[in-house]
Amino acid sequence: MSRRKVALITGSTSGIGLGIAKEFASNGYDIGLNGLDNAQDIQEIEHGIKEDFGVQVFSSGADMSKPREIERFAGDAGDALGEVDVLINNAGVQHVSPVEHFPIDKWDLILAVNLSSAFHMSRLLIPSMRNQGFGRIINIASAHGLVASVNKSAYVAAKHGLIGFTKTIALEVAESGITCNAICPGWVETPLVKTQVETLSREKSISQTEVIRNLILERQPTRKFVQVNEIAALALFLASEQASSITGSSYSVDGGWTAH
Ligand code: NAD
């Protein structure tokens, strides 16, 4: 019997990453789960996925802003689950501020989590993917990897960087059975966005419903949030054998945002 495939997903205890972890688990993948939550919360998510889908799950609270912890996650997950077939670089954080007031520690954190962690995870896992002649690297970028918004200098820089990184890796591994692609979501209703809605509602003294309609979804012609399961379904396809000729590409799932 062939072994089950293994998918590692950074930042997978919430939002898009958790949705992707469940989609892959429901399709028989063993899962490497990661997030910055406390140990008990991560273990609860781990047990939930094991129970619901009957797959193996390895979980880790490794901080994706710290190269040593990233090395530990990649190593321990490989020991626990076996060779990694799919790497999904999803962990991401946001901070909104005009550039001249942008806190230096927030700039460094956003670049480390949203961009450098993809470099570290990729450099650590590509050797074993090359050995097995198969690998899928999927970077969760953003519409902000393709276009900019005011006050998001670090996030936009990191996500544009992630798309450049995606193309470079695709070229480097092109003959090894490994593909590397990016998904660029528009607004997806997750805790990351909820925080921004709450802040804008406070700052502008308008209701959260008005924030969502007039400020958040103003960019998104469908005027609807993208759903987590839509992102997860595309990731699953990009991980499949049928997607072996798709590499170096960025896929917008943004309700028409970047068609403007
Ligand atoms: P979320 O806040 O719901 O989840 C973020 C996850 O990353 C959590 O599991 C959190 O624990 C983890 N995380 C944060 N910092 C970490 C760190 N230092 N180390 C390890 N894990 C860390 O966010 P989300 O909306 O699901 O976003 C996931 C990805 O999708 C991010 O890269 C984000 O930029 C991208 N994205 C989100 C949207 C959106 O509208 N929600 C749109 C475009 C792109």
Side-chain angles (χ1 to χ4, degrees), residues 101-122:
H101 302 303
F102 213 94
I104 293 169
D105 61 336
K106 293 285 185 201
W107 172 275
D108 289 342
L109 180 69
I110 289 172
L111 269 286
V113 177
N114 297 23
L115 178 58
S116 299
S117 74
F119 155 68
H120 291 295
M121 289 297 295
S122 303

PDB file of all heavy atoms in Angstrom, residues 101-122:
ATOM      1  N   HIS A 101       5.523  56.449  10.385  1.00  0.00           N
ATOM      2  CA  HIS A 101       5.267  56.063  11.790  1.00  0.00           C
ATOM      3  C   HIS A 101       5.329  54.542  11.974  1.00  0.00           C
ATOM      4  O   HIS A 101       4.982  54.036  13.037  1.00  0.00           O
ATOM      5  CB  HIS A 101       3.884  56.549  12.239  1.00  0.00           C
ATOM      6  CG  HIS A 101       3.705  58.031  12.110  1.00  0.00           C
ATOM      7  ND1 HIS A 101       4.536  58.933  12.719  1.00  0.00           N
ATOM      8  CD2 HIS A 101       2.800  58.759  11.410  1.00  0.00           C
ATOM      9  CE1 HIS A 101       4.154  60.169  12.409  1.00  0.00           C
ATOM     10  NE2 HIS A 101       3.112  60.092  11.601  1.00  0.00           N
ATOM     11  N   PHE A 102       5.716  53.837  10.925  1.00  0.00           N
ATOM     12  CA  PHE A 102       5.645  52.370  10.997  1.00  0.00           C
ATOM     13  C   PHE A 102       6.650  51.865  12.029  1.00  0.00           C
ATOM     14  O   PHE A 102       7.857  52.088  11.908  1.00  0.00           O
ATOM     15  CB  PHE A 102       5.963  51.755   9.626  1.00  0.00           C
ATOM     16  CG  PHE A 102       5.209  50.492   9.351  1.00  0.00           C
ATOM     17  CD1 PHE A 102       4.007  50.511   8.657  1.00  0.00           C
ATOM     18  CD2 PHE A 102       5.670  49.275   9.835  1.00  0.00           C
ATOM     19  CE1 PHE A 102       3.291  49.342   8.432  1.00  0.00           C
ATOM     20  CE2 PHE A 102       4.960  48.105   9.606  1.00  0.00           C
ATOM     21  CZ  PHE A 102       3.769  48.146   8.899  1.00  0.00           C
ATOM     22  N   PRO A 103       6.177  51.154  13.067  1.00  0.00           N
ATOM     23  CA  PRO A 103       7.120  50.680  14.085  1.00  0.00           C
ATOM     24  C   PRO A 103       8.145  49.711  13.474  1.00  0.00           C
ATOM     25  O   PRO A 103       7.773  48.794  12.743  1.00  0.00           O
ATOM     26  CB  PRO A 103       6.225  49.952  15.096  1.00  0.00           C
ATOM     27  CG  PRO A 103       4.842  50.394  14.792  1.00  0.00           C
ATOM     28  CD  PRO A 103       4.798  50.746  13.340  1.00  0.00           C
ATOM     29  N   ILE A 104       9.401  49.930  13.797  1.00  0.00           N
ATOM     30  CA  ILE A 104      10.478  49.125  13.197  1.00  0.00           C
ATOM     31  C   ILE A 104      10.309  47.645  13.549  1.00  0.00           C
ATOM     32  O   ILE A 104      10.495  46.758  12.708  1.00  0.00           O
ATOM     33  CB  ILE A 104      11.853  49.641  13.668  1.00  0.00           C
ATOM     34  CG1 ILE A 104      12.078  51.041  13.096  1.00  0.00           C
ATOM     35  CG2 ILE A 104      12.991  48.705  13.236  1.00  0.00           C
ATOM     36  CD1 ILE A 104      13.263  51.775  13.690  1.00  0.00           C
ATOM     37  N   ASP A 105       9.889  47.376  14.783  1.00  0.00           N
ATOM     38  CA  ASP A 105       9.737  45.957  15.159  1.00  0.00           C
ATOM     39  C   ASP A 105       8.615  45.300  14.365  1.00  0.00           C
ATOM     40  O   ASP A 105       8.695  44.120  14.007  1.00  0.00           O
ATOM     41  CB  ASP A 105       9.546  45.804  16.681  1.00  0.00           C
ATOM     42  CG  ASP A 105       8.305  46.514  17.185  1.00  0.00           C
ATOM     43  OD1 ASP A 105       7.840  47.475  16.533  1.00  0.00           O
ATOM     44  OD2 ASP A 105       7.774  46.105  18.236  1.00  0.00           O
ATOM     45  N   LYS A 106       7.561  46.074  14.021  1.00  0.00           N
ATOM     46  CA  LYS A 106       6.458  45.492  13.213  1.00  0.00           C
ATOM     47  C   LYS A 106       6.935  45.234  11.782  1.00  0.00           C
ATOM     48  O   LYS A 106       6.592  44.232  11.166  1.00  0.00           O
ATOM     49  CB  LYS A 106       5.259  46.447  13.164  1.00  0.00           C
ATOM     50  CG  LYS A 106       4.563  46.630  14.493  1.00  0.00           C
ATOM     51  CD  LYS A 106       3.732  45.420  14.846  1.00  0.00           C
ATOM     52  CE  LYS A 106       2.947  45.654  16.130  1.00  0.00           C
ATOM     53  NZ  LYS A 106       2.539  44.426  16.781  1.00  0.00           N
ATOM     54  N   TRP A 107       7.726  46.176  11.243  1.00  0.00           N
ATOM     55  CA  TRP A 107       8.286  45.972   9.889  1.00  0.00           C
ATOM     56  C   TRP A 107       9.089  44.669   9.869  1.00  0.00           C
ATOM     57  O   TRP A 107       8.893  43.801   9.009  1.00  0.00           O
ATOM     58  CB  TRP A 107       9.162  47.161   9.483  1.00  0.00           C
ATOM     59  CG  TRP A 107       9.901  46.922   8.206  1.00  0.00           C
ATOM     60  CD1 TRP A 107      11.099  46.272   8.062  1.00  0.00           C
ATOM     61  CD2 TRP A 107       9.478  47.263   6.877  1.00  0.00           C
ATOM     62  NE1 TRP A 107      11.450  46.209   6.718  1.00  0.00           N
ATOM     63  CE2 TRP A 107      10.478  46.803   5.974  1.00  0.00           C
ATOM     64  CE3 TRP A 107       8.355  47.923   6.358  1.00  0.00           C
ATOM     65  CZ2 TRP A 107      10.379  46.971   4.591  1.00  0.00           C
ATOM     66  CZ3 TRP A 107       8.268  48.096   4.975  1.00  0.00           C
ATOM     67  CH2 TRP A 107       9.269  47.624   4.114  1.00  0.00           C
ATOM     68  N   ASP A 108       9.987  44.518  10.850  1.00  0.00           N
ATOM     69  CA  ASP A 108      10.858  43.333  10.882  1.00  0.00           C
ATOM     70  C   ASP A 108      10.038  42.053  11.041  1.00  0.00           C
ATOM     71  O   ASP A 108      10.312  41.034  10.398  1.00  0.00           O
ATOM     72  CB  ASP A 108      11.869  43.438  12.038  1.00  0.00           C
ATOM     73  CG  ASP A 108      12.932  44.503  11.763  1.00  0.00           C
ATOM     74  OD1 ASP A 108      13.089  44.902  10.596  1.00  0.00           O
ATOM     75  OD2 ASP A 108      13.595  44.935  12.724  1.00  0.00           O
ATOM     76  N   LEU A 109       9.007  42.113  11.885  1.00  0.00           N
ATOM     77  CA  LEU A 109       8.185  40.919  12.121  1.00  0.00           C
ATOM     78  C   LEU A 109       7.429  40.512  10.853  1.00  0.00           C
ATOM     79  O   LEU A 109       7.389  39.332  10.488  1.00  0.00           O
ATOM     80  CB  LEU A 109       7.190  41.190  13.269  1.00  0.00           C
ATOM     81  CG  LEU A 109       6.274  40.020  13.614  1.00  0.00           C
ATOM     82  CD1 LEU A 109       7.063  38.882  14.265  1.00  0.00           C
ATOM     83  CD2 LEU A 109       5.128  40.450  14.539  1.00  0.00           C
ATOM     84  N   ILE A 110       6.822  41.495  10.198  1.00  0.00           N
ATOM     85  CA  ILE A 110       6.030  41.185   8.994  1.00  0.00           C
ATOM     86  C   ILE A 110       6.927  40.586   7.902  1.00  0.00           C
ATOM     87  O   ILE A 110       6.575  39.594   7.263  1.00  0.00           O
ATOM     88  CB  ILE A 110       5.275  42.443   8.496  1.00  0.00           C
ATOM     89  CG1 ILE A 110       4.156  42.775   9.478  1.00  0.00           C
ATOM     90  CG2 ILE A 110       4.700  42.227   7.087  1.00  0.00           C
ATOM     91  CD1 ILE A 110       3.443  44.089   9.227  1.00  0.00           C
ATOM     92  N   LEU A 111       8.107  41.174   7.724  1.00  0.00           N
ATOM     93  CA  LEU A 111       9.031  40.616   6.717  1.00  0.00           C
ATOM     94  C   LEU A 111       9.472  39.201   7.109  1.00  0.00           C
ATOM     95  O   LEU A 111       9.570  38.314   6.262  1.00  0.00           O
ATOM     96  CB  LEU A 111      10.254  41.530   6.557  1.00  0.00           C
ATOM     97  CG  LEU A 111      10.185  42.632   5.483  1.00  0.00           C
ATOM     98  CD1 LEU A 111      10.325  42.042   4.086  1.00  0.00           C
ATOM     99  CD2 LEU A 111       8.907  43.460   5.537  1.00  0.00           C
ATOM    100  N   ALA A 112       9.714  38.996   8.403  1.00  0.00           N
ATOM    101  CA  ALA A 112      10.184  37.678   8.858  1.00  0.00           C
ATOM    102  C   ALA A 112       9.104  36.614   8.682  1.00  0.00           C
ATOM    103  O   ALA A 112       9.363  35.532   8.142  1.00  0.00           O
ATOM    104  CB  ALA A 112      10.616  37.762  10.326  1.00  0.00           C
ATOM    105  N   VAL A 113       7.879  36.904   9.133  1.00  0.00           N
ATOM    106  CA  VAL A 113       6.816  35.875   9.103  1.00  0.00           C
ATOM    107  C   VAL A 113       6.275  35.704   7.687  1.00  0.00           C
ATOM    108  O   VAL A 113       6.118  34.586   7.198  1.00  0.00           O
ATOM    109  CB  VAL A 113       5.661  36.246  10.073  1.00  0.00           C
ATOM    110  CG1 VAL A 113       4.532  35.215   9.983  1.00  0.00           C
ATOM    111  CG2 VAL A 113       6.172  36.345  11.505  1.00  0.00           C
ATOM    112  N   ASN A 114       5.983  36.817   7.004  1.00  0.00           N
ATOM    113  CA  ASN A 114       5.264  36.738   5.723  1.00  0.00           C
ATOM    114  C   ASN A 114       6.182  36.398   4.549  1.00  0.00           C
ATOM    115  O   ASN A 114       5.706  35.950   3.520  1.00  0.00           O
ATOM    116  CB  ASN A 114       4.554  38.064   5.417  1.00  0.00           C
ATOM    117  CG  ASN A 114       3.476  38.410   6.433  1.00  0.00           C
ATOM    118  OD1 ASN A 114       3.499  37.943   7.558  1.00  0.00           O
ATOM    119  ND2 ASN A 114       2.548  39.249   6.056  1.00  0.00           N
ATOM    120  N   LEU A 115       7.495  36.648   4.700  1.00  0.00           N
ATOM    121  CA  LEU A 115       8.395  36.405   3.571  1.00  0.00           C
ATOM    122  C   LEU A 115       9.542  35.445   3.938  1.00  0.00           C
ATOM    123  O   LEU A 115       9.689  34.385   3.337  1.00  0.00           O
ATOM    124  CB  LEU A 115       8.970  37.744   3.067  1.00  0.00           C
ATOM    125  CG  LEU A 115       9.976  37.664   1.924  1.00  0.00           C
ATOM    126  CD1 LEU A 115       9.393  36.969   0.701  1.00  0.00           C
ATOM    127  CD2 LEU A 115      10.460  39.072   1.539  1.00  0.00           C
ATOM    128  N   SER A 116      10.317  35.793   4.967  1.00  0.00           N
ATOM    129  CA  SER A 116      11.524  34.993   5.233  1.00  0.00           C
ATOM    130  C   SER A 116      11.186  33.570   5.662  1.00  0.00           C
ATOM    131  O   SER A 116      11.943  32.636   5.370  1.00  0.00           O
ATOM    132  CB  SER A 116      12.392  35.667   6.302  1.00  0.00           C
ATOM    133  OG  SER A 116      12.801  36.929   5.851  1.00  0.00           O
ATOM    134  N   SER A 117      10.036  33.372   6.337  1.00  0.00           N
ATOM    135  CA  SER A 117       9.715  31.997   6.766  1.00  0.00           C
ATOM    136  C   SER A 117       9.508  31.097   5.546  1.00  0.00           C
ATOM    137  O   SER A 117       9.833  29.911   5.583  1.00  0.00           O
ATOM    138  CB  SER A 117       8.497  31.966   7.691  1.00  0.00           C
ATOM    139  OG  SER A 117       7.310  32.186   6.979  1.00  0.00           O
ATOM    140  N   ALA A 118       9.008  31.664   4.441  1.00  0.00           N
ATOM    141  CA  ALA A 118       8.829  30.859   3.216  1.00  0.00           C
ATOM    142  C   ALA A 118      10.196  30.451   2.661  1.00  0.00           C
ATOM    143  O   ALA A 118      10.370  29.331   2.175  1.00  0.00           O
ATOM    144  CB  ALA A 118       8.042  31.647   2.174  1.00  0.00           C
ATOM    145  N   PHE A 119      11.162  31.365   2.749  1.00  0.00           N
ATOM    146  CA  PHE A 119      12.538  31.041   2.328  1.00  0.00           C
ATOM    147  C   PHE A 119      13.082  29.899   3.186  1.00  0.00           C
ATOM    148  O   PHE A 119      13.611  28.903   2.672  1.00  0.00           O
ATOM    149  CB  PHE A 119      13.418  32.295   2.441  1.00  0.00           C
ATOM    150  CG  PHE A 119      14.888  32.002   2.612  1.00  0.00           C
ATOM    151  CD1 PHE A 119      15.624  31.436   1.580  1.00  0.00           C
ATOM    152  CD2 PHE A 119      15.529  32.283   3.811  1.00  0.00           C
ATOM    153  CE1 PHE A 119      16.985  31.160   1.744  1.00  0.00           C
ATOM    154  CE2 PHE A 119      16.877  32.004   3.981  1.00  0.00           C
ATOM    155  CZ  PHE A 119      17.611  31.437   2.954  1.00  0.00           C
ATOM    156  N   HIS A 120      12.945  30.034   4.515  1.00  0.00           N
ATOM    157  CA  HIS A 120      13.531  29.008   5.398  1.00  0.00           C
ATOM    158  C   HIS A 120      12.853  27.653   5.203  1.00  0.00           C
ATOM    159  O   HIS A 120      13.536  26.629   5.066  1.00  0.00           O
ATOM    160  CB  HIS A 120      13.425  29.451   6.859  1.00  0.00           C
ATOM    161  CG  HIS A 120      14.318  30.613   7.177  1.00  0.00           C
ATOM    162  ND1 HIS A 120      15.693  30.539   7.122  1.00  0.00           N
ATOM    163  CD2 HIS A 120      14.034  31.895   7.532  1.00  0.00           C
ATOM    164  CE1 HIS A 120      16.226  31.708   7.432  1.00  0.00           C
ATOM    165  NE2 HIS A 120      15.238  32.556   7.680  1.00  0.00           N
ATOM    166  N   MET A 121      11.524  27.643   5.189  1.00  0.00           N
ATOM    167  CA  MET A 121      10.828  26.357   5.020  1.00  0.00           C
ATOM    168  C   MET A 121      11.206  25.727   3.674  1.00  0.00           C
ATOM    169  O   MET A 121      11.433  24.517   3.585  1.00  0.00           O
ATOM    170  CB  MET A 121       9.302  26.550   5.089  1.00  0.00           C
ATOM    171  CG  MET A 121       8.744  26.890   6.464  1.00  0.00           C
ATOM    172  SD  MET A 121       8.989  25.606   7.725  1.00  0.00           S
ATOM    173  CE  MET A 121       8.017  24.247   7.105  1.00  0.00           C
ATOM    174  N   SER A 122      11.292  26.540   2.639  1.00  0.00           N
ATOM    175  CA  SER A 122      11.602  26.001   1.306  1.00  0.00           C
ATOM    176  C   SER A 122      13.023  25.450   1.267  1.00  0.00           C
ATOM    177  O   SER A 122      13.266  24.343   0.779  1.00  0.00           O
ATOM    178  CB  SER A 122      11.446  27.086   0.232  1.00  0.00           C
ATOM    179  OG  SER A 122      10.145  27.606   0.264  1.00  0.00           O
TER     180      SER A 122
END
